[in-house]
Amino acid sequence: SEDVGEYALRLGDDALILAQRLGHWISRAPELEEDVALGNIALDQLGHARSLLTYAGAAWGKTEDELAYFRREPEFRSAHLFEQPNGDFAVTIVRQFIVSYYQYELYRRLTASTDATVAAIAAKAVKEVDYHRDHSAQWVLRLALGTDESRSRLLAGLRLLWPYVGELFEDDALTARLGDAAVAPSSMRADFDRLTNEVLTEAEIDVPDVPSALGGGRRGQHSEHLGYILAEMQVLAREYPGASW
Amino acid sequence: SEDVGEYALRLGDDALILAQRLGHWISRAPELEEDVALGNIALDQLGHARSLLTYAGAAWGKTEDELAYFRREPEFRSAHLFEQPNGDFAVTIVRQFIVSYYQYELYRRLTASTDATVAAIAAKAVKEVDYHRDHSAQWVLRLALGTDESRSRLLAGLRLLWPYVGELFEDDALTARLGDAAVAPSSMRADFDRLTNEVLTEAEIDVPDVPSALGGGRRGQHSEHLGYILAEMQVLAREYPGASW
Amino acid sequence: DAGQAYFDHVMAEDSRIEPRDWMPDAYRRTLVRQISQHAHSEIIGMQPEANWISRAPSLKRKAILMAKVQDEAGHGLYLYSAAETLGTSRDEMMGQLVAGKARYSSIFNYPTVTWADMGAIGWMVDGAAICNQVPLCRASYGPYGRAMVRVCKEESFHQRQGFEILLELANGNPAQKQMAQDAVNRWYAPSLMMFGPPDDDSPNSKQSMAWNIKRFSNDELRSRFVGMMAEQVRVLGLSLPDPEVRFNEDTKTWEHGPLDWEEFKQVLAGRGPCNAQRLERRRQAHDDGGWVREAATAYAAKMAAKNEAAA
Amino acid sequence: DAGQAYFDHVMAEDSRIEPRDWMPDAYRRTLVRQISQHAHSEIIGMQPEANWISRAPSLKRKAILMAKVQDEAGHGLYLYSAAETLGTSRDEMMGQLVAGKARYSSIFNYPTVTWADMGAIGWMVDGAAICNQVPLCRASYGPYGRAMVRVCKEESFHQRQGFEILLELANGNPAQKQMAQDAVNRWYAPSLMMFGPPDDDSPNSKQSMAWNIKRFSNDELRSRFVGMMAEQVRVLGLSLPDPEVRFNEDTKTWEHGPLDWEEFKQVLAGRGPCNAQRLERRRQAHDDGGWVREAATAYAAKMAAKNEAAA
């Protein structure tokens, strides 16, 4: 249905934009092991994006590439967190930390989706995202307890990105209509808070006390960053519309 | 003639790409005075670009905007130096230092071009570029003689960008054919060397001993940076071809 | 005492206080806060527009936009200078801004997502700023009033340019017209809220009026602005997203529909779409520029010592 | 002595030396240089391809390209590990690379200006690398040979993917086909030069052959590679930019036209189009990552101390 398509589009756009962001680290990471690790995560996200966009496209007779390369900014459904710049390694790790704990709760529940395709995609994704969770949590600990500099950069990253957590857990008419085919975002918040808190506690960090940003990504209202991401991502495909690659 | 058009295109593309690079500093400069100063320089360069592209376009019946927004990368004629990333403030200052001393010699001679339009554009530009020269020389001195950090950043910037100096002074068939309508690039090298050397000597710096890069911008062979610059610069104009703004 | 008497006299005469004149501490503090907030707004206000410099769709528009954002840096400079005459240094004010301890106009915490936002900001946001600022050209503190004269002259130029951007879009293809209408819709309420809370919820206004650093109430200015917009939007062939805008023949003022003051407070409290981003970007530029400012200072000191030695 | 005798025996038998075996200093030094250069090439070689990850024109191609560049980081890891068994640490080798004191394959100093370069690099550059590397799977130093086995397996996968990119373009619209041909033209000569200077100008080759860390001469490998290209390019429906490519029936080898060894030397000497950029980018990544590596080290030390205390 179009509703399921729209839902898949949200999740797919999150993953696609994140993959695009993470891909930038490959050849620029602090050590080779991280070129490999961040590359793996980017590839996983891109894989999820492809499955989700392919499924979403089925609702409107479009391919994954038509959706990725020929939609304009207000037609994207990514949440603001995924669009945020990489910043330094600490900012990227904080983004990963939030994303992976959120996506784990999401995909874990979606394995029981009444929509069989969504359930199948989630079943594959949840295992990969579990590894992303572990990767980010390890780095949160290393940076928090490593040196003064790494701790202060991590704290800055947390203050910078925590405002975008709220949007991930907002219910709306679509998630309500979808019922058990989807997950009510707000229903995941408690588990997200509990599990991220466990890591932050071990890292001797308090959850940042920062106001929540307004969001709007699910309605096509994006941060100023998305336009730049799309300009770069779509430039070649748009230059040769209809071409095959 | 088409030859003059091609020549104006080279100069115009240099100025356009530099304006695009410098424009990024506005709202990000180290102090407000520099937001204003770099903004002024960017505006001057953009002004030169518009005059030169308008004149170049006359040879092919195209407007400045058609040339700026609807050419592809190999059709651009900018030299590699202009495409180089802003880097830190020292890198930008080094780029400005090379560019403004080069452009000053160029426009000064072009005021005597046998092509009246080129001469008129040069007559206006040379005064503005003289100010750019002063601005960059002052900063070279401040950074060279300021603190250890500023000196070492300046030296790094010089090593990074000096390889791109050579391309600016290469003669080719076009400049040969144009004779006194243009300037033989190689004929400016001695004055450029002498005048930049005066500043570098006062700054207690030796001209960097680095190999020259291969260049090729005048033949449409560009650095990897230009594609990104154009993707961003052209995105909106290309999205609405034929629209008026 | 004599100082207070002179000050009161100046206020009564609607004349001007100059930097060396005696003034009440509260007057000084209020002015520093107001002028520095205004300066901060110019600086932070560069960001939403700088966001489109690289993507401006024609070279002419790119040049105009660049010049505009650069003017805003200039306004910041005049205003910080005016505030400095009251004994607070630019460094100190900048420090407060990047530490997140100073306010700036909330309007700049909204994102500029399309090119039409360049038009809407020029036409509506600068339009509202002008309504606010023209009376300040007669502010009782001399340096402030004089700075505002320069600022206002440039702002009205900017407003015209913003109007032109929207006019071109409104007369363009359907997608362009839609882009323009969409921008007007998004910026309408935030620009009305630029005049501050309704008069019955604006506690400091009375004192500022007495000191001649505020001339009209928030609601008076807002009403005047709505009237201006309502007339000009017809020229654009667009509409305001507020069916309740009308001229009240009885009160001879323009009226508008209710505004979402809850959102205003949210944004003011830091929950706007771009609060964190704007501040972080300013902080980054400030931090990244630290070594440059240090170098300039060190070089100036060396040159001064050299000249000293030579003299 | 006994060590030398055993070493000579291993060479004569074409068998393998392992890390704990005695080996001549010159052998060790040559290997460290060769393996680390190879590792550096993998690392620097990530950049020209990473340049197109964000702009890959389909999601499938994006995924393949990402995986490829990531594989190169993996190859770098295996190779640095192999070199470390000879007593030089990765840190030290990386330090030499970012200080500009180590070499890497010159081919990576050419820019990737179109998407078709992703195809040409895969097909030609990886193709040349495979010709070079397959014999190294039997290199006399055990860890090196074993690393090469893994590398070669992945490289041939990459080569096929590059071929596919070109095939798709060659069968695409005229602009795409032109893009493909243009990339083949640009990468042809540089990829032939990857095998190093002609045999009569390659002083170190003889010793390396004697040590079984080189199996065929530069010209032999180059000729084999040209033959491979000449056959495959017909499948692509494209052409090689060298009219002198032909199979010599007498010598049973492939021949090609003259190469511009002057350009090769220029690029080797640092005058390639991207030498400075590649090195600067690596240095930047290395420097930017310093605090992260320090944090990881400090954290590991703290955890070790904690475990110690608990034990």
Side-chain angles (χ1 to χ4, degrees):
Chain A
S1 72
E2 287 216 0
D3 273 352
V4 175
E6 177 76 16
Y7 186 66
L9 204 57
R10 292 180 179 186
L11 310 188
D13 283 347
D14 285 352
L16 175 60
I17 299 302
L18 182 62
Q20 187 72 1
R21 283 293 194 205
L22 287 175
H24 188 79
W25 276 108
I26 306 175
S27 75
R28 292 179 175 90
E31 52 189 28
L32 283 178
E33 286 80 354
E34 285 305 306
D35 283 297
V36 175
L38 292 172
N40 262 327
I41 297 171
L43 273 167
D44 289 344
Q45 294 284 339
L46 185 55
H48 306 162
R50 294 183 64 192
S51 302
L52 289 160
L53 293 184
T54 298
Y55 187 46
W60 300 284
K62 289 189 184 287
T63 66
E64 57 174 13
D65 286 335
E66 283 166 338
L67 289 177
Y69 292 98
F70 294 93
R71 275 181 301 158
R72 288 181 176 164
E73 190 176 329
E75 299 170 278
F76 274 77
R77 292 290 173 264
S78 43
H80 287 209
L81 176 65
F82 298 88
E83 302 166 7
Q84 297 305 304
N86 285 339
D88 64 10
F89 187 72
V91 171
T92 289
I93 288 300
V94 170
R95 194 181 57 201
Q96 277 311 110
F97 180 62
I98 301 170
V99 164
S100 59
Y101 276 78
Y102 158 71
Q103 286 184 333
Y104 182 81
E105 294 308 317
L106 176 68
Y107 289 131
R108 182 168 73 78
R109 285 165 174 81
L110 284 178
T111 56
S113 167
T114 53
D115 184 292
T117 309
V118 169
I121 294 171
K124 179 171 184 300
V126 71
K127 289 176 209 144
E128 296 172 350
V129 169
D130 193 17
Y131 161 76
H132 306 174
R133 234 172 30 148
D134 188 52
H135 174 265
S136 70
Q138 289 301 322
W139 272 113
V140 164
L141 292 176
R142 283 191 202 105
L143 298 183
L145 306 174
T147 65
D148 287 349
E149 179 175 8
S150 67
R151 185 174 180 85
S152 94
R153 284 178 184 262
L154 182 74
L155 292 174
L158 281 162
R159 275 194 307 275
L160 191 67
L161 294 183
W162 213 260
Y164 303 102
V165 170
E167 183 185 9
L168 304 175
F169 299 98
E170 275 171 19
D171 299 335
D172 69 358
L174 179 75
T175 54
R177 279 201 305 277
L178 282 168
D180 290 340
V183 179
S186 63
S187 71
M188 302 184 283
R189 183 70 200 244
D191 281 344
F192 171 87
D193 284 343
R194 184 173 48 80
L195 291 169
T196 50
N197 235 309
E198 279 177 15
V199 179
L200 293 177
T201 303
E202 191 178 340
E204 297 164 22
I205 288 174
D206 293 328
V207 175
D209 178 22
V210 287
S212 202
L214 278 182
R218 305 309 188 197
R219 298 185 300 280
Q221 292 166 5
H222 294 283
S223 68
E224 288 175 356
H225 308 295
L226 187 61
Y228 292 93
I229 297 175
L230 298 184
E232 191 172 312
M233 183 172 86
Q234 300 180 333
V235 63
L236 183 57
R238 282 184 181 264
E239 212 174 313
Y240 298 91
S244 162
W245 304 94
Chain B
S1 72
E2 286 216 0
D3 273 354
V4 176
E6 178 74 16
Y7 186 66
L9 204 57
R10 292 181 179 185
L11 276 43
D13 283 347
D14 285 352
L16 175 61
I17 299 301
L18 182 61
Q20 189 72 3
R21 284 292 195 204
L22 287 175
H24 188 79
W25 276 108
I26 308 176
S27 75
R28 291 181 176 91
E31 52 190 27
L32 283 178
E33 286 81 355
E34 285 307 306
D35 283 297
V36 174
L38 292 172
N40 262 327
I41 297 171
L43 274 167
D44 289 344
Q45 294 284 340
L46 185 55
H48 307 163
R50 293 183 63 193
S51 302
L52 289 160
L53 293 183
T54 298
Y55 187 47
W60 300 283
K62 289 191 184 286
T63 65
E64 57 174 15
D65 285 336
E66 283 166 340
L67 288 177
Y69 293 98
F70 293 93
R71 274 181 301 156
R72 286 181 178 165
E73 190 175 328
E75 299 170 277
F76 274 77
R77 292 290 173 262
S78 43
H80 287 209
L81 176 64
F82 298 87
E83 302 165 7
Q84 296 306 303
N86 285 338
D88 64 11
F89 187 72
V91 171
T92 289
I93 287 300
V94 170
R95 194 180 57 201
Q96 277 310 111
F97 180 62
I98 301 170
V99 164
S100 59
Y101 277 78
Y102 158 71
Q103 286 184 331
Y104 182 80
E105 295 307 318
L106 176 69
Y107 289 131
R108 182 167 73 77
R109 286 164 172 82
L110 284 179
T111 56
S113 167
T114 53
D115 185 290
T117 309
V118 169
I121 294 172
K124 181 173 183 298
V126 70
K127 289 176 208 146
E128 295 172 352
V129 169
D130 193 18
Y131 161 75
H132 306 175
R133 229 168 39 142
D134 188 54
H135 173 265
S136 69
Q138 289 301 322
W139 272 113
V140 165
L141 293 176
R142 281 190 204 108
L143 298 183
L145 306 174
T147 65
D148 289 346
E149 180 176 6
S150 67
R151 184 173 181 85
S152 93
R153 284 178 184 261
L154 182 74
L155 292 174
L158 280 161
R159 275 193 308 276
L160 190 67
L161 294 184
W162 213 260
Y164 303 102
V165 170
E167 184 186 7
L168 305 175
F169 298 99
E170 276 171 19
D171 300 335
D172 69 358
L174 179 76
T175 54
R177 279 202 303 278
L178 282 168
D180 290 341
V183 179
S186 63
S187 70
M188 302 185 284
R189 184 68 200 248
D191 281 346
F192 171 86
D193 283 343
R194 184 172 49 78
L195 292 170
T196 50
N197 236 308
E198 281 177 13
V199 179
L200 293 178
T201 303
E202 189 177 342
E204 299 166 21
I205 288 174
D206 294 327
V207 176
D209 178 23
V210 286
S212 201
L214 278 182
R218 306 309 188 196
R219 298 185 300 280
Q221 291 165 5
H222 294 283
S223 68
E224 288 175 355
H225 308 297
L226 188 62
Y228 292 94
I229 297 175
L230 298 184
E232 190 172 314
M233 184 173 85
Q234 299 180 335
V235 62
L236 183 55
R238 282 184 181 264
E239 211 174 318
Y240 298 91
S244 162
W245 303 94
Chain C
D1 61 0
Q4 180 74 53
Y6 177 72
F7 181 84
D8 291 342
H9 174 74
V10 166
M11 291 300 130
E13 293 273 290
D14 199 358
S15 179
R16 283 192 157 165
I17 290 290
E18 293 299 333
R20 284 151 190 264
D21 295 339
W22 182 91
M23 61 190 89
D25 279 350
Y27 176 85
R28 184 185 298 271
R29 275 200 310 275
T30 300
L31 271 171
V32 168
R33 198 184 59 231
Q34 179 169 335
I35 302 174
S36 66
Q37 277 181 20
H38 190 162
H40 298 332
S41 299
E42 294 284 353
I43 302 313
I44 297 288
M46 294 168 75
Q47 291 183 34
E49 291 176 290
N51 185 38
W52 284 89
I53 289 177
S54 68
R55 296 176 289 176
S58 79
L59 296 186
K60 180 180 147 198
R61 291 289 167 209
K62 189 191 288 282
I64 292 172
L65 183 60
M66 247 186 206
K68 182 183 176 190
V69 182
Q70 193 210 22
D71 280 348
E72 287 159 7
H75 296 175
L77 280 173
Y78 314 153
L79 287 160
Y80 284 124
S81 297
E84 283 189 311
T85 62
L86 291 158
T88 305
S89 73
R90 198 213 297 185
D91 270 3
E92 196 174 326
M93 291 182 276
M94 276 278 185
Q96 285 165 351
L97 175 61
V98 298
K101 288 177 185 158
R103 283 210 171 143
Y104 56 84
S105 180
S106 265
I107 192 89
F108 300 119
N109 290 319
Y110 291 90
T112 53
V113 290
T114 72
W115 169 251
D117 291 350
M118 299 302 99
I121 287 184
W123 179 50
M124 306 178 96
V125 176
D126 291 354
I130 291 168
C131 288
N132 253 330
Q133 290 166 10
V134 165
L136 294 177
C137 295
R138 297 185 290 119
S140 62
Y141 186 60
Y144 187 30
R146 289 188 290 273
M148 291 317 301
V149 171
R150 293 180 68 176
V151 169
C152 282
K153 207 186 288 176
E154 294 179 0
E155 294 279 20
S156 58
F157 193 59
H158 295 163
Q159 203 211 0
R160 204 161 53 239
Q161 291 165 343
F163 185 81
E164 272 171 25
I165 289 175
L166 288 178
L167 191 61
E168 193 83 49
L169 291 172
N171 292 322
N173 64 42
Q176 286 179 299
K177 183 162 185 177
Q178 184 55 49
M179 194 194 279
Q181 181 63 58
D182 178 58
V184 169
N185 293 351
R186 279 182 292 109
W187 292 92
Y188 171 76
S191 64
L192 259 63
M193 291 194 271
M194 283 176 70
F195 297 93
D199 292 349
D200 50 21
D201 189 24
S202 180
N204 301 320
S205 292
K206 211 174 146 195
Q207 176 63 75
S208 291
M209 299 268 244
W211 279 336
N212 297 337
I213 51 177
K214 188 174 173 74
R215 298 283 178 175
F216 301 97
S217 81
N218 295 352
D219 287 335
E220 277 168 348
L221 291 166
R222 185 161 24 238
S223 160
R224 193 180 295 182
F225 174 68
V226 168
M228 211 168 84
M229 293 293 104
E231 281 166 16
Q232 295 178 5
V233 80
R234 285 184 303 178
V235 182
L236 290 173
L238 300 173
S239 63
L240 298 179
D242 179 350
E244 298 180 44
V245 168
R246 69 177 194 111
F247 187 71
N248 183 327
E249 291 291 347
D250 299 334
T251 61
K252 301 289 175 202
T253 59
W254 282 86
E255 294 177 348
H256 56 84
L259 294 166
D260 180 357
W261 290 105
E262 187 43 42
E263 177 181 318
F264 179 78
K265 279 178 198 154
Q266 295 277 330
V267 178
L268 203 67
R271 269 182 288 276
C274 299
N275 296 58
Q277 176 187 336
R278 300 286 185 243
L279 211 54
E280 177 61 19
R281 160 93 162 271
R282 176 88 311 257
R283 191 179 292 136
Q284 187 83 47
H286 190 78
D287 291 353
D288 287 353
W291 68 270
V292 179
R293 295 189 300 275
E294 276 166 32
T297 307
Y299 177 75
K302 280 180 197 171
M303 289 304 107
K306 212 173 189 176
N307 289 340
E308 190 96 357
Chain D
D1 62 359
Q4 181 73 52
Y6 177 71
F7 180 83
D8 292 341
H9 174 74
V10 167
M11 291 301 130
E13 294 272 291
D14 198 359
S15 180
R16 284 192 158 164
I17 290 291
E18 293 298 333
R20 285 153 189 261
D21 295 339
W22 182 91
M23 62 191 89
D25 279 350
Y27 176 86
R28 185 185 297 271
R29 275 199 311 275
T30 301
L31 270 172
V32 168
R33 200 183 59 231
Q34 178 169 335
I35 302 173
S36 67
Q37 277 181 21
H38 190 162
H40 298 332
S41 300
E42 295 284 354
I43 302 313
I44 297 288
M46 295 169 74
Q47 291 183 33
E49 293 177 290
N51 186 37
W52 284 89
I53 289 176
S54 68
R55 297 176 291 176
S58 79
L59 296 186
K60 179 181 148 197
R61 293 288 169 208
K62 189 190 288 283
I64 291 173
L65 184 59
M66 248 186 205
K68 182 183 176 192
V69 182
Q70 194 211 23
D71 280 347
E72 287 158 6
H75 297 176
L77 279 172
Y78 312 154
L79 287 160
Y80 284 124
S81 297
E84 283 189 310
T85 61
L86 291 157
T88 305
S89 73
R90 197 210 304 183
D91 269 4
E92 198 175 324
M93 293 183 274
M94 277 278 186
Q96 286 165 350
L97 175 61
V98 299
K101 288 177 187 159
R103 284 210 168 141
Y104 56 84
S105 181
S106 264
I107 192 89
F108 300 120
N109 290 319
Y110 291 89
T112 52
V113 290
T114 71
W115 169 251
D117 291 351
M118 299 303 99
I121 288 184
W123 180 50
M124 307 178 95
V125 177
D126 289 353
I130 291 168
C131 287
N132 254 330
Q133 290 166 11
V134 165
L136 293 177
C137 294
R138 296 185 292 120
S140 62
Y141 186 60
Y144 187 31
R146 288 188 289 273
M148 291 317 301
V149 171
R150 292 180 67 176
V151 169
C152 282
K153 206 185 290 176
E154 293 180 0
E155 294 279 20
S156 58
F157 192 58
H158 296 163
Q159 203 211 359
R160 203 162 54 239
Q161 291 165 342
F163 186 82
E164 272 171 26
I165 289 175
L166 289 178
L167 191 61
E168 193 83 48
L169 291 173
N171 292 323
N173 64 42
Q176 286 179 300
K177 182 163 187 177
Q178 184 56 50
M179 193 193 278
Q181 181 63 59
D182 178 58
V184 169
N185 293 351
R186 281 183 290 111
W187 292 93
Y188 172 76
S191 63
L192 258 63
M193 293 195 269
M194 283 176 69
F195 296 94
D199 292 348
D200 50 21
D201 190 25
S202 181
N204 301 320
S205 290
K206 210 175 143 195
Q207 177 63 77
S208 291
M209 300 264 245
W211 278 337
N212 297 337
I213 52 178
K214 188 173 171 79
R215 299 282 178 175
F216 301 97
S217 81
N218 295 352
D219 287 336
E220 278 168 347
L221 291 167
R222 188 164 18 243
S223 160
R224 192 179 297 183
F225 173 67
V226 168
M228 210 169 86
M229 293 293 105
E231 281 165 16
Q232 295 178 4
V233 80
R234 286 183 302 178
V235 183
L236 291 173
L238 300 173
S239 62
L240 297 179
D242 180 349
E244 298 180 44
V245 168
R246 68 176 193 112
F247 187 71
N248 183 325
E249 291 291 348
D250 298 335
T251 60
K252 301 289 175 204
T253 58
W254 283 86
E255 295 178 348
H256 56 83
L259 294 167
D260 182 357
W261 290 105
E262 189 44 42
E263 177 181 317
F264 178 78
K265 280 179 198 152
Q266 295 277 330
V267 177
L268 203 66
R271 271 182 286 277
C274 300
N275 295 58
Q277 176 188 336
R278 300 283 185 246
L279 211 53
E280 176 63 18
R281 160 90 163 273
R282 177 88 311 257
R283 192 179 293 135
Q284 187 83 48
H286 189 78
D287 291 354
D288 286 353
W291 69 269
V292 179
R293 294 189 300 274
E294 276 166 32
T297 307
Y299 178 75
K302 280 180 199 172
M303 288 304 106
K306 212 172 188 177
N307 289 339
E308 190 96 358

